[in-house]
């Protein structure tokens, strides 16, 4: 544990938000082969999201204008920002926004496409592009010397960060730093006081090296909502059983056990080549007055997951979003959104 004295704080996701960042799919992304289907998914997501919070959507206007404008979004709630993009995973290339001295700072970490797996030359510059257009809700802080994706960490808003060793200790991210050095850097840059690490939870088909937002999420009242194991023959089950045991051993800053809520694991979903995809219900987005929850056209599991989330977020509406198209590119709802706190 590395204590900090700064008043920097990374708010919890359930705190009030000023807007949410998304990126529009287009023919120059990996969505090209299924563009109509995924465009409809984004149309539905942004339409529902904009009922609760303003939305900024980035993309190259020449490639996006026709499909974006055809959706007829409310211009008072949805703003389009013209900027080249490699893909649509706003959670990971968007800034992490902290509070400091009563103002917001948008921390611009380096995005290298999950350890140099894909191109990121445009996406790594999106925070800078938003700043140049006056669309950042706070000042930009340059941290491009450190690789960090938004989906790789969870904040409880009280100084605790939850993450995974598989991701943050990846040699293709910050391989020149030790675990202790990475923990210290997180505390210094985000204002946290401690980091909780999970060493289990790897999912089949996960390009991100075990992003925490597919596995376990903080919620109000010292709660952790996590992805439970599936059937015995599901290849993800052993890792999720081990992760559950780790989570049960975690303690709050004052030494108490967390309240734990287990989500069902969707039935296995496969791509065209027979590869299992990393679908989980943990990839939800908490926003003003609502929790947008991914569904996968599995009525029984979808309904059960919604009931579990409603039991935690009693003050919010649970809004289901069909994310079967998103999971075909190995991501889901939380992965394509990044909130900016008030």
């Amino acid at each position: 544990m590395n204590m900090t004295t700064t008043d920097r704080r990374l708010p919890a996701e359930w705190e009030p938000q000023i807007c949410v960042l998304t990126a529009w799919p287009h023919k120059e992304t990996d969505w090209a082969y299924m563009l109509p289907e995924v465009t409809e998914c984004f149309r539905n997501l942004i339409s529902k999201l904009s009922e609760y919070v303003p939305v900024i959507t980035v993309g190259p206007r020449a490639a996006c204008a026709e499909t974006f404008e055809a959706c007829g979004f409310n211009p008072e709630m949805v703003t389009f920002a013209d900027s080249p993009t490699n893909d649509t995973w706003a959670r990971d290339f968007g800034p992490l926004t902290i509070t400091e001295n009563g103002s917001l700072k948008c921390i611009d970490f380096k995005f290298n496409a999950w350890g140099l797996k894909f191109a990121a030359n445009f996406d790594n510059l999106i925070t800078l592009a938003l700043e140049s257009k006056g669309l950042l809700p706070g000042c930009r802080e340059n941290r491009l010397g450190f690789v960090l994706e938004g989906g790789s960490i969870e904040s409880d808003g009280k100084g605790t960060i939850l993450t995974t060793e598989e991701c943050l200790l990846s040699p293709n991210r910050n391989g020149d730093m030790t675990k202790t050095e990475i923990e210290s850097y997180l505390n210094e840059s985000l204002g946290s006081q401690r980091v909780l690490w999970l060493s289990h939870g790897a999912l089949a088909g996960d390009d991100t090296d075990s992003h925490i937002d597919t596995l376990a999420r903080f919620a109000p009242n010292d709660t952790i909502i996590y992805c439970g194991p599936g059937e015995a023959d599901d290849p993800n089950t052993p890792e999720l059983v081990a992760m559950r045991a780790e989570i049960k051993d975690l303690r709050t800053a004052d030494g108490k056990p967390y309240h734990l809520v287990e989500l069902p694991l969707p039935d296995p979903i496969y791509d065209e080549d027979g590869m299992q995809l990393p679908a989980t219900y943990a990839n939800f987005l908490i926003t003003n007055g609502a929790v947008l929850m991914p569904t996968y056209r599995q009525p029984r599991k979808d309904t059960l997951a919604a009931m579990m989330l409603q039991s935690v977020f009693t003050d919010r509406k649970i809004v289901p979003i069909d994310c079967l198209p998103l999971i075909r590119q190995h991501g889901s709802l939380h992965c394509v959104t990044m909130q900016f706190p008030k």
Side-chain angles (χ1 to χ4, degrees), residues 192-335:
S192 51
Q193 283 81 50
R194 65 186 196 131
V195 180
L196 301 178
W197 299 84
L198 296 179
S199 59
H200 292 282
L203 298 176
D206 182 8
D207 292 331
T208 70
D209 305 309
S210 298
H211 268 190
I212 195 67
D213 70 348
T214 65
L215 299 171
R217 307 288 306 283
F218 278 131
N221 304 312
D222 292 330
T223 299
I224 296 178
I225 305 172
Y226 67 94
C227 179
E231 301 298 327
D233 59 351
D234 189 317
N236 292 321
T237 292
E239 275 291 303
L240 293 176
V241 168
M243 183 189 76
R244 179 171 59 188
E246 285 187 291
I247 290 173
K248 288 181 178 180
D249 285 339
L250 296 179
R251 293 296 180 264
T252 65
D254 56 2
K256 298 178 181 178
Y258 283 94
H259 305 293
L260 302 182
V261 176
E262 182 173 300
L263 293 171
L265 183 69
D267 296 333
I269 301 172
Y270 302 93
D271 67 10
E272 297 84 353
D273 298 321
M275 176 184 290
Q276 186 167 346
L277 299 171
T280 81
Y281 295 108
N283 207 246
F284 56 84
L285 173 71
I286 313 165
T287 192
N288 302 336
V291 176
L292 275 63
M293 185 199 85
T295 61
Y296 302 103
R297 303 177 194 174
Q298 301 181 15
R300 185 178 69 84
K301 294 282 185 74
D302 293 347
T303 300
L304 179 57
M307 291 172 58
M308 299 305 294
L309 289 180
Q310 190 68 81
S311 72
V312 176
F313 298 101
T314 57
D315 61 337
R316 287 171 163 84
K317 183 177 180 179
I318 307 301
V319 180
I321 303 291
D322 178 10
C323 289
L324 195 60
L326 294 183
I327 203 63
R328 288 172 65 182
Q329 280 294 317
H330 304 256
S332 197
L333 195 155
H334 196 250
C335 303

Side-chain angles (χ1 to χ4, degrees), residues 12 26 38 52 73 88 94 101 149 157 159 190 203 231 273 280 297:
H26 54 86
V38 78
Y52 300 94
F73 296 122
T88 55
N101 299 323
E149 304 109 37
L190 300 176
L203 298 176
E231 301 298 327
D273 298 321
T280 81
R297 303 177 194 174

Side-chain angles (χ1 to χ4, degrees), residues 157-190:
K158 300 186 296 183
T160 297
I161 296 294
L162 179 64
T163 189
T164 68
E165 295 180 356
E166 182 75 16
C167 181
L168 263 63
L169 302 186
S170 163
N172 284 340
R173 285 178 171 85
N174 301 294
D176 59 335
M177 299 177 70
T178 66
K179 181 178 180 180
T180 299
E181 290 170 337
I182 289 173
E183 186 169 322
S184 296
Y185 191 90
L186 292 177
N187 289 339
E188 182 269 325
S189 58
L190 300 176

